[in-house]
Amino acid sequence: IHVPPTPDAAGGGQGRWLDGVAPAGDELVFDKTGSHAFVTTNIHYVLGNVGVRSLVCCGVLTDECVAGTVKAACDLGYACTVLEDACLAGAPERHAGAIATLRRFARVVSTRTWLAEVGHGRTAAAAGGGGKPPARPLDRPGLLRPGPGLGRA
């Protein structure tokens, strides 16, 4: 799921997709016009209808939109995981401060740790699956299937 800021009237500005993080295939896009993903989108309605109760969050800016989205999600009853190294703020100290605060609301881990937990990057033989591919997050109730790359949510 992608929740970018809305592009400016000229079609540019903050809402442009950066290389490597644009939606792929049938990934959902919610146009966010407020300080967090839940205030100006129908994301809570959509997630509720498909039974999602856990979110993996990352993005820009850690201390603004990411923090606001995580706090709102927790208030709505979602269990949140924040990928610390997949977030960015305007300055390192702003990122560190936001992550310190988010630890009170959510589980904070590295992208590598999260990917290892959900079985990405493992071969079927290494996973002990006898040739069967490892389970993907969507195969477990309450988790969304990540797109290519970091498993954005």
Side-chain angles (χ1 to χ4, degrees), residues 62 66-67 70-71 74 80-85 95-110 113:
T62 315
V66 175
V70 169
K71 291 175 185 179
C74 290
C80 293
T81 297
V82 175
L83 302 181
E84 180 175 12
D85 57 345
H95 174 76
I99 291 296
T101 299
L102 287 172
R103 288 184 193 283
R104 296 186 351 228
F105 294 87
R107 182 172 159 259
V108 177
V109 298
S110 70
T113 297

Side-chain angles (χ1 to χ4, degrees), residues 118-146:
V118 297
H120 285 263
R122 294 169 45 194
T123 65
K132 180 180 174 188
R136 299 227 11 177
L138 190 60
D139 298 333
R140 298 191 318 210
L143 295 177
L144 292 175
R145 180 186 313 268

Side-chain angles (χ1 to χ4, degrees), residues 8-51:
D8 62 25
Q14 298 181 60
R16 290 185 327 238
W17 292 108
L18 300 175
D19 291 339
V21 296
D26 62 352
E27 292 180 330
L28 300 175
V29 176
F30 296 85
D31 290 324
K32 179 179 76 68
T33 59
S35 62
H36 62 76
F38 291 94
V39 71
T40 59
T41 73
N42 66 343
I43 193 169
H44 179 55
Y45 174 79
V46 171
L47 294 175
N49 280 336
V50 295

